[in-house]
């Protein structure tokens, strides 16, 4: 890389799969705030890993977080984070992150995986 050239990591279109441990992020949170806080924590995780402030959570992921009620949020969730181009001309950012739910039978031995957009 030539000196003075800076290429932002956030400028690439990329898709990765992560396992988010919601149990440690919700420890000590009161019952009626657990599911809403879980969604906020997923948004926060997506912002920090993908480097975009515009994060959109899929409906199926929201349903999975809430399917056991407001108190009994699942301990872990497998998500696919996709950084995509924003089509709006008047948008503040060029990219947004789409967070979708990935159903898995077990979380044992799963790593972060880069997904090919085919």
């Amino acid at each position: 890389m030539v000196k003075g050239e800076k290429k932002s990591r956030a400028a690439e279109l990329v898709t990765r799969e992560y396992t988010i441990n919601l149990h440690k992020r919700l420890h000590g949170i009161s019952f009626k705030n657990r599911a809403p806080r879980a969604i906020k924590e997923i948004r926060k995780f997506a912002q920090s890993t993908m480097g975009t402030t515009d994060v959109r959570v899929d409906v199926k992921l929201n349903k999975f977080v809430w399917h056991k009620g407001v108190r009994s949020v699942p301990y872990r969730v497998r998500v696919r984070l996709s950084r995509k181009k924003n089509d709006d001309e008047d948008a503040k950012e060029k990219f947004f992150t789409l967070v979708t739910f990935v159903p898995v039978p077990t979380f044992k031995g799963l790593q972060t995986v880069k997904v090919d957009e085919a």
Side-chain angles (χ1 to χ4, degrees), residues 26-40:
L26 298 177
H27 177 74
I29 304 300
S30 61
F31 282 151
K32 295 300 180 184
N33 297 328
R34 286 175 80 85
R37 174 67 75 92
I39 298 296
K40 287 177 191 151

Side-chain angles (χ1 to χ4, degrees), residues 51-113:
T52 62
T53 54
D54 186 5
V55 176
R56 300 171 191 179
V57 177
D58 187 42
V59 176
K60 288 181 182 170
L61 175 61
N62 195 42
K63 288 249 192 237
F64 176 75
V65 170
W66 282 84
H67 87 280
K68 290 167 68 177
V70 71
R71 305 172 15 151
S72 305
V73 177
Y75 284 170
R76 286 179 177 78
V77 63
R78 187 76 173 172
V79 295
R80 180 173 288 149
L81 301 182
S82 305
R83 191 185 303 120
K84 300 189 173 195
K85 271 204 182 302
N86 212 341
D87 293 335
D88 296 336
E89 282 83 37
D90 56 335
K92 294 177 187 168
E93 286 197 51
K94 290 189 283 185
F95 296 95
F96 70 92
T97 303
L98 179 65
V99 187
T100 54
F101 172 62
V102 179
V104 291
T106 181
F107 293 102
K108 304 282 188 204
L110 288 177
Q111 301 278 317
T112 297
V113 179

